[in-house]
Amino acid sequence: MDIKLPRGTQDILPSDTAKWQVVEELIREQCRMYHYKEIRTPVFEHTELFTRGVGDTTDIVQKEMYTFQDRGNRSLTLRPEGTASVVRSFVEHKMFGYPDQPVKLYYMGPMFRYERQQAGRYRQFVQFGMEAIGSSDPAIDAEVISLAMSIYKRAGLKSLKLVINSLGDTESRIAHREALVNHFEPHIEEFCSDCQNRLQKNPLRILDCKIDRNNPLMETAPSLTDYLNEESAAYFAKVKEYLTMLNIDFEVDPNLVRGLDYYNHTAFEIMSTAEGFGAITTLAGGGRYNGLVAELGGPDSPGIGYAMSIERLLLAMEAEKIEFPDTTSLDVYLVAMGEEAKKKVTELTFELRKHKISADMDYLERKVKAQMKSADRLKAKAVIVIGEDELEKQSVMLKDLSTGTQQLVPFTSLIDEVKKLTEAK
Ligand code: HAM
């Protein structure tokens, strides 16, 4: 058989899943601390959700979606991100009527984008994201950013940079948009065809163009910051004040625009500055989306959130040489010497497991020496050996593999003795 993985996907092998579980648990724990609750939405949605939600001029919608027709001729799309789905669900289940507002949600699951594969960029990746919907208090902007930073800090990352910007409210954006069109229009033929399309549809996205990023007109383009109206500027000032109060370092980058259409006011990205992290330095991105709930048919509820991929978090941890605790080791390996002993070993292996002791045994009829080797390789904390002698004495030989000491333990007190030994490790 010569069938391989589809490009841009990965098998996460047993030698790596333990790392995933460690960071997933860390994330869930941080979400509990900040009182965000998990939501699970489908992996595919109606295509229109993303064309309207993410925006039909974005790269995601134009170039990256896995869209297909189902057997009932509906156009469906594998979700490229989580925010649109969460907001759809918020509206569909009338969460705006929940007594506890804002509604604070998080999600973790696979997302799909047809992108060029490179380290840190995949076609299927696992995104963790969170959304706080129903509040336009700048303190919650700081909370969202703080949760993101706290996860990276708890994971042990040190080389981090937080970049923030304000995209302003609708009025500020219209003023800035006009200024951008006036700035680029006379020279638009110097720009790529995507930018030419963006000029009227969404000129802000020109600033994010990778092809034309060295065009001198980029440097002199009108900055959003200069077009923020008083209210937007005051909002941004408060967000910065809260971040300072929480001792969260940040840089303001007036060119940070983000690649999705729904953003306004606060936008941010977190980068890894670790050597060896790779060409893509962004670990996470997010921002405020005050118009999205209304756009998707709900009331005018403000929202803010962010997302990151677990893959990039793990790459950054690898670049910073962070060690993972070994969560896969075995409590006990049971070794049988002879036919009769094998029966007892089988019985005891299953018995130990009922008492929440992880246990394994040989299924390949290997010699005792090979069984002992397995115990070592599996990093078992203890070995139980049963042969004819032990059977006669209704006992087992229990060996502590870290100290090498061993003792004869009667079947009747085995569970207690094993617990004593393994729990002490
Ligand atoms: P985004 O910037 O498109 O925003 O993606 C957020 C994060 O997802 C990125 O910073 C990166 O960690 C990860 N990511 C994106 N594409 C890939 C890929 N191809 N391979 C690996 N990782 C990737 C959003 O998705 C927004 N929904 C974030 C948000 C939530 N804004 C408000 N709420």
Side-chain angles (χ1 to χ4, degrees), residues 7 9 58 112 120 123 176 236 256 259 274 355 367 380 388 400 422:
R7 188 186 290 262
T9 65
T58 58
F112 307 84
R123 291 184 177 173
H176 179 237
F236 192 36
L256 177 75
H355 289 85
K367 301 248 157 55
E388 272 174 30
D400 182 333
T422 54

PDB file of all heavy atoms in Angstrom, residues 7 9 58 112 120 123 176 236 256 259 274 355 367 380 388 400 422:
ATOM      1  N   ARG A   7      -1.183  16.013   2.347  1.00  0.00           N
ATOM      2  CA  ARG A   7      -0.267  17.128   2.602  1.00  0.00           C
ATOM      3  C   ARG A   7      -0.868  18.093   3.642  1.00  0.00           C
ATOM      4  O   ARG A   7      -2.056  18.404   3.592  1.00  0.00           O
ATOM      5  CB  ARG A   7      -0.052  17.888   1.300  1.00  0.00           C
ATOM      6  CG  ARG A   7       1.023  18.951   1.360  1.00  0.00           C
ATOM      7  CD  ARG A   7       1.030  19.718   0.064  1.00  0.00           C
ATOM      8  NE  ARG A   7       1.539  18.878  -1.024  1.00  0.00           N
ATOM      9  CZ  ARG A   7       2.807  18.910  -1.461  1.00  0.00           C
ATOM     10  NH1 ARG A   7       3.664  19.740  -0.930  1.00  0.00           N
ATOM     11  NH2 ARG A   7       3.204  18.137  -2.422  1.00  0.00           N
ATOM     12  N   THR A   9      -1.177  17.575   6.821  1.00  0.00           N
ATOM     13  CA  THR A   9      -1.733  16.942   8.021  1.00  0.00           C
ATOM     14  C   THR A   9      -0.614  16.190   8.744  1.00  0.00           C
ATOM     15  O   THR A   9       0.457  15.995   8.175  1.00  0.00           O
ATOM     16  CB  THR A   9      -2.857  15.938   7.678  1.00  0.00           C
ATOM     17  OG1 THR A   9      -2.288  14.849   6.930  1.00  0.00           O
ATOM     18  CG2 THR A   9      -3.949  16.588   6.855  1.00  0.00           C
ATOM     19  N   THR A  58     -11.385  38.052   2.592  1.00  0.00           N
ATOM     20  CA  THR A  58     -10.185  37.575   3.307  1.00  0.00           C
ATOM     21  C   THR A  58      -9.542  36.411   2.554  1.00  0.00           C
ATOM     22  O   THR A  58     -10.209  35.707   1.796  1.00  0.00           O
ATOM     23  CB  THR A  58     -10.557  37.064   4.720  1.00  0.00           C
ATOM     24  OG1 THR A  58     -11.513  36.016   4.563  1.00  0.00           O
ATOM     25  CG2 THR A  58     -11.145  38.150   5.577  1.00  0.00           C
ATOM     26  N   PHE A 112      -9.333  23.759   9.630  1.00  0.00           N
ATOM     27  CA  PHE A 112      -8.813  23.350   8.318  1.00  0.00           C
ATOM     28  C   PHE A 112      -8.601  24.563   7.425  1.00  0.00           C
ATOM     29  O   PHE A 112      -9.528  25.365   7.246  1.00  0.00           O
ATOM     30  CB  PHE A 112      -9.806  22.390   7.660  1.00  0.00           C
ATOM     31  CG  PHE A 112     -10.155  21.222   8.556  1.00  0.00           C
ATOM     32  CD1 PHE A 112     -11.155  21.332   9.523  1.00  0.00           C
ATOM     33  CD2 PHE A 112      -9.454  20.033   8.464  1.00  0.00           C
ATOM     34  CE1 PHE A 112     -11.464  20.277  10.366  1.00  0.00           C
ATOM     35  CE2 PHE A 112      -9.752  18.963   9.306  1.00  0.00           C
ATOM     36  CZ  PHE A 112     -10.761  19.086  10.255  1.00  0.00           C
ATOM     37  N   GLY A 120       4.953  24.846  11.399  1.00  0.00           N
ATOM     38  CA  GLY A 120       4.011  25.723  12.099  1.00  0.00           C
ATOM     39  C   GLY A 120       2.797  26.101  11.271  1.00  0.00           C
ATOM     40  O   GLY A 120       1.931  26.825  11.749  1.00  0.00           O
ATOM     41  N   ARG A 123      -2.519  22.157   7.167  1.00  0.00           N
ATOM     42  CA  ARG A 123      -3.862  22.246   6.593  1.00  0.00           C
ATOM     43  C   ARG A 123      -4.912  21.771   7.588  1.00  0.00           C
ATOM     44  O   ARG A 123      -6.048  22.199   7.533  1.00  0.00           O
ATOM     45  CB  ARG A 123      -3.918  21.444   5.290  1.00  0.00           C
ATOM     46  CG  ARG A 123      -3.073  22.146   4.252  1.00  0.00           C
ATOM     47  CD  ARG A 123      -3.108  21.511   2.896  1.00  0.00           C
ATOM     48  NE  ARG A 123      -2.307  22.330   2.009  1.00  0.00           N
ATOM     49  CZ  ARG A 123      -1.998  22.007   0.758  1.00  0.00           C
ATOM     50  NH1 ARG A 123      -2.440  20.882   0.243  1.00  0.00           N
ATOM     51  NH2 ARG A 123      -1.276  22.812   0.033  1.00  0.00           N
ATOM     52  N   HIS A 176     -10.521  56.255   8.207  1.00  0.00           N
ATOM     53  CA  HIS A 176      -9.213  55.708   7.855  1.00  0.00           C
ATOM     54  C   HIS A 176      -9.257  55.040   6.486  1.00  0.00           C
ATOM     55  O   HIS A 176      -8.351  55.181   5.662  1.00  0.00           O
ATOM     56  CB  HIS A 176      -8.784  54.689   8.925  1.00  0.00           C
ATOM     57  CG  HIS A 176      -7.460  54.054   8.645  1.00  0.00           C
ATOM     58  ND1 HIS A 176      -7.299  52.707   8.533  1.00  0.00           N
ATOM     59  CD2 HIS A 176      -6.223  54.596   8.428  1.00  0.00           C
ATOM     60  CE1 HIS A 176      -6.024  52.424   8.275  1.00  0.00           C
ATOM     61  NE2 HIS A 176      -5.357  53.560   8.213  1.00  0.00           N
ATOM     62  N   PHE A 236      -8.969  52.413  23.816  1.00  0.00           N
ATOM     63  CA  PHE A 236      -7.641  51.818  23.658  1.00  0.00           C
ATOM     64  C   PHE A 236      -6.737  52.200  24.841  1.00  0.00           C
ATOM     65  O   PHE A 236      -6.001  51.359  25.379  1.00  0.00           O
ATOM     66  CB  PHE A 236      -7.041  52.281  22.329  1.00  0.00           C
ATOM     67  CG  PHE A 236      -5.806  51.524  21.917  1.00  0.00           C
ATOM     68  CD1 PHE A 236      -5.670  50.170  22.162  1.00  0.00           C
ATOM     69  CD2 PHE A 236      -4.767  52.174  21.240  1.00  0.00           C
ATOM     70  CE1 PHE A 236      -4.538  49.464  21.765  1.00  0.00           C
ATOM     71  CE2 PHE A 236      -3.631  51.476  20.844  1.00  0.00           C
ATOM     72  CZ  PHE A 236      -3.519  50.125  21.116  1.00  0.00           C
ATOM     73  N   LEU A 256      -0.559  46.591  12.778  1.00  0.00           N
ATOM     74  CA  LEU A 256      -1.168  45.280  13.014  1.00  0.00           C
ATOM     75  C   LEU A 256      -2.640  45.336  12.606  1.00  0.00           C
ATOM     76  O   LEU A 256      -3.424  46.081  13.196  1.00  0.00           O
ATOM     77  CB  LEU A 256      -1.059  44.919  14.506  1.00  0.00           C
ATOM     78  CG  LEU A 256      -1.717  43.600  14.902  1.00  0.00           C
ATOM     79  CD1 LEU A 256      -0.873  42.433  14.448  1.00  0.00           C
ATOM     80  CD2 LEU A 256      -1.928  43.538  16.399  1.00  0.00           C
ATOM     81  N   GLY A 259      -5.925  39.227   9.852  1.00  0.00           N
ATOM     82  CA  GLY A 259      -6.388  38.761   8.540  1.00  0.00           C
ATOM     83  C   GLY A 259      -7.862  38.432   8.420  1.00  0.00           C
ATOM     84  O   GLY A 259      -8.281  37.869   7.430  1.00  0.00           O
ATOM     85  N   ALA A 274      11.860  33.247  20.305  1.00  0.00           N
ATOM     86  CA  ALA A 274      12.882  32.222  20.566  1.00  0.00           C
ATOM     87  C   ALA A 274      13.645  31.911  19.290  1.00  0.00           C
ATOM     88  O   ALA A 274      13.046  31.769  18.230  1.00  0.00           O
ATOM     89  CB  ALA A 274      12.225  30.956  21.091  1.00  0.00           C
ATOM     90  N   HIS A 355      -8.013  -1.410  40.670  1.00  0.00           N
ATOM     91  CA  HIS A 355      -7.661  -0.551  41.810  1.00  0.00           C
ATOM     92  C   HIS A 355      -6.869   0.675  41.365  1.00  0.00           C
ATOM     93  O   HIS A 355      -6.115   1.255  42.150  1.00  0.00           O
ATOM     94  CB  HIS A 355      -6.885  -1.354  42.850  1.00  0.00           C
ATOM     95  CG  HIS A 355      -7.739  -2.342  43.557  1.00  0.00           C
ATOM     96  ND1 HIS A 355      -8.000  -3.598  43.047  1.00  0.00           N
ATOM     97  CD2 HIS A 355      -8.456  -2.248  44.707  1.00  0.00           C
ATOM     98  CE1 HIS A 355      -8.819  -4.246  43.869  1.00  0.00           C
ATOM     99  NE2 HIS A 355      -9.114  -3.439  44.886  1.00  0.00           N
ATOM    100  N   LYS A 367      10.656 -15.149  27.201  1.00  0.00           N
ATOM    101  CA  LYS A 367      11.396 -15.676  28.356  1.00  0.00           C
ATOM    102  C   LYS A 367      11.401 -14.630  29.461  1.00  0.00           C
ATOM    103  O   LYS A 367      11.202 -13.447  29.204  1.00  0.00           O
ATOM    104  CB  LYS A 367      12.848 -15.957  27.950  1.00  0.00           C
ATOM    105  CG  LYS A 367      12.990 -16.947  26.820  1.00  0.00           C
ATOM    106  CD  LYS A 367      13.635 -18.224  27.356  1.00  0.00           C
ATOM    107  CE  LYS A 367      13.367 -19.456  26.531  1.00  0.00           C
ATOM    108  NZ  LYS A 367      13.737 -19.357  25.120  1.00  0.00           N
ATOM    109  N   ALA A 380       8.608   0.911  34.169  1.00  0.00           N
ATOM    110  CA  ALA A 380       7.677   0.527  35.236  1.00  0.00           C
ATOM    111  C   ALA A 380       8.288   0.898  36.588  1.00  0.00           C
ATOM    112  O   ALA A 380       9.510   0.871  36.745  1.00  0.00           O
ATOM    113  CB  ALA A 380       7.410  -0.969  35.164  1.00  0.00           C
ATOM    114  N   GLU A 388       6.821 -20.859  40.224  1.00  0.00           N
ATOM    115  CA  GLU A 388       6.241 -21.967  41.012  1.00  0.00           C
ATOM    116  C   GLU A 388       6.342 -21.727  42.510  1.00  0.00           C
ATOM    117  O   GLU A 388       5.386 -21.931  43.246  1.00  0.00           O
ATOM    118  CB  GLU A 388       6.943 -23.269  40.659  1.00  0.00           C
ATOM    119  CG  GLU A 388       6.291 -23.952  39.473  1.00  0.00           C
ATOM    120  CD  GLU A 388       7.060 -25.168  39.015  1.00  0.00           C
ATOM    121  OE1 GLU A 388       7.717 -25.807  39.876  1.00  0.00           O
ATOM    122  OE2 GLU A 388       7.022 -25.457  37.809  1.00  0.00           O
ATOM    123  N   ASP A 400      11.022  -3.180  43.666  1.00  0.00           N
ATOM    124  CA  ASP A 400      11.027  -1.737  43.410  1.00  0.00           C
ATOM    125  C   ASP A 400      12.140  -1.468  42.381  1.00  0.00           C
ATOM    126  O   ASP A 400      13.321  -1.678  42.688  1.00  0.00           O
ATOM    127  CB  ASP A 400      11.323  -1.017  44.734  1.00  0.00           C
ATOM    128  CG  ASP A 400      11.297   0.491  44.569  1.00  0.00           C
ATOM    129  OD1 ASP A 400      11.561   0.975  43.445  1.00  0.00           O
ATOM    130  OD2 ASP A 400      11.010   1.177  45.569  1.00  0.00           O
ATOM    131  N   THR A 422       4.094   2.487  44.670  1.00  0.00           N
ATOM    132  CA  THR A 422       3.980   3.356  43.490  1.00  0.00           C
ATOM    133  C   THR A 422       3.589   4.785  43.866  1.00  0.00           C
ATOM    134  O   THR A 422       4.016   5.734  43.218  1.00  0.00           O
ATOM    135  CB  THR A 422       2.964   2.802  42.472  1.00  0.00           C
ATOM    136  OG1 THR A 422       1.711   2.580  43.151  1.00  0.00           O
ATOM    137  CG2 THR A 422       3.437   1.515  41.845  1.00  0.00           C
TER     138      THR A 422
END
